[in-house]
Every structure is written in structure tokens, then in C-alpha cells.
Amino acid sequence: MPKKNPSTAAQRARQRQAATGEKYTTALRAETRPAVQRPAVRHRPFSAGGAGWAPIIRRAARELDEVWPDHPTPAWEEKFGDLCWKGTPWSQGPEVWAVVNQATREASSTCQTCPSPGRKRVVWPWDSEYGWVMPWVKTCCDTCAYVPPQLRDDQAYLELVERYEERG
């Protein structure tokens, strides 16, 4: 009777062979090939979306409704790791600016993708068509920040780290 949780690659390959009819050598290669590490978080340039910043944006929208009832729908985006309102209401009063500045300050210390404390980090956004696109500054916690090992020595990445990344 086979084990429920095989511990070696050979045992897993035999089970895979029995289940799928695949050749043993092919199954063994698949079991011993190092897994490609992909981050759980997929960063997107300019995107202010994420479970970490969503409550901040919702709270700012509620507060804006109170101080400026006819305000335009805010177009929030991320720039250099900061939360920004695209098309900022330059002519509005201090109450509006207080709401926008409070949201920006709170987002600067909150991971964009989860509600953990975060700091500015240089990450590599993933695009399904192009792969690792380019280094990008995001506000992330230790868990959500990801840099592929093969790209850690990239000159553009190192320059952005030197310029923008906050030491923690």
C-alpha cells in the first residue's frame, strides 16, 4: 500500500506515473526540477489597488463626502511608492487637503497589498506577456516585497534601491 504523503521524489514520481500513466523518467524529472519561485503578490505599476490601501481609500472617500459633497470621483494611483490623487483639487480648502494628506501619510507606512506595516521597496512587477518588466518602487512589507534572484544585480534596480528604498 503506497504512502499517503511520499517523502522522496522517486516515490512522488511513482505515484504520478500510476495516476496519470506518464513515463516514470518524465515524472521523476518533473518532481526533481526546482520549482520556479513566483511571488504570491503581483505588483502592477501605478496601481493603488490592494487590500492594504483599500481601507485607507474608502475612509478618505467617506471623509471627502463630508467636507466636499460634490467632489469628483478620486482617481487614486501609486507613484514612487506613495498614494496620490491624480488630478488633485488644487483650489479646494484646507479641509479637503487635510483628508488627502492624511490618506497619503497613512498609506506611506502601510503595505499596499496587505494591511501590515510597510516601507518603500523596489520590486519587480510581473506581466504575463512580458515576464519581469522593470524595477518599480512600492510600499511593501517584508512578506510582499519580492525581487527575483537573477535580477538583484541589475543596474537599474540597484540605482532605484539607492535612491528610493528606505532602510528598515
Side-chain angles (χ1 to χ4, degrees):
M1 184 167 164
K3 292 182 178 181
K4 290 183 180 181
N5 295 320
S7 58
T8 67
Q11 290 172 333
R12 290 190 303 272
R14 288 278 182 217
Q15 283 191 345
R16 186 172 172 161
Q17 176 191 20
T20 64
E22 188 176 23
K23 286 186 176 180
Y24 173 74
T25 53
T26 306
L28 184 59
R29 278 190 200 108
E31 289 297 328
T32 56
R33 186 179 316 130
V36 177
Q37 283 194 320
R38 300 242 190 262
V41 176
R42 306 292 177 141
H43 299 286
R44 292 190 334 246
F46 298 114
S47 171
W53 284 4
I56 297 169
I57 292 171
R58 282 194 302 269
R59 187 175 326 113
R62 283 193 308 269
E63 292 174 6
L64 280 172
D65 286 339
E66 293 174 9
V67 297
W68 186 16
D70 297 329
H71 70 84
T73 303
W76 295 100
E77 68 176 26
E78 170 271 328
K79 282 194 174 180
F80 296 104
D82 291 326
L83 179 65
C84 303
W85 182 355
K86 189 174 180 181
T88 308
W90 297 105
S91 61
Q92 295 306 311
E95 302 85 15
V96 172
W97 278 104
V99 171
V100 172
N101 289 336
Q102 173 62 28
T104 302
R105 273 193 311 275
E106 191 175 345
S108 70
S109 62
T110 304
C111 178
Q112 181 178 343
T113 53
C114 71
S116 302
R119 61 185 174 91
K120 284 188 182 181
R121 308 277 188 119
V122 180
V123 298
W124 283 80
W126 173 262
D127 183 87
S128 58
E129 185 176 342
Y130 300 107
W132 301 108
V133 184
M134 68 190 118
W136 201 264
V137 181
K138 290 281 192 179
T139 301
C140 300
C141 64
D142 293 337
T143 306
C144 296
Y146 180 78
V147 177
Q150 70 271 21
L151 299 174
R152 290 184 183 147
D153 294 329
D154 182 81
Q155 191 59 39
Y157 166 74
L158 295 173
E159 287 173 8
L160 281 174
V161 167
E162 183 69 30
R163 186 169 183 184
Y164 291 103
E165 197 165 292
E166 299 169 354
R167 303 292 175 220

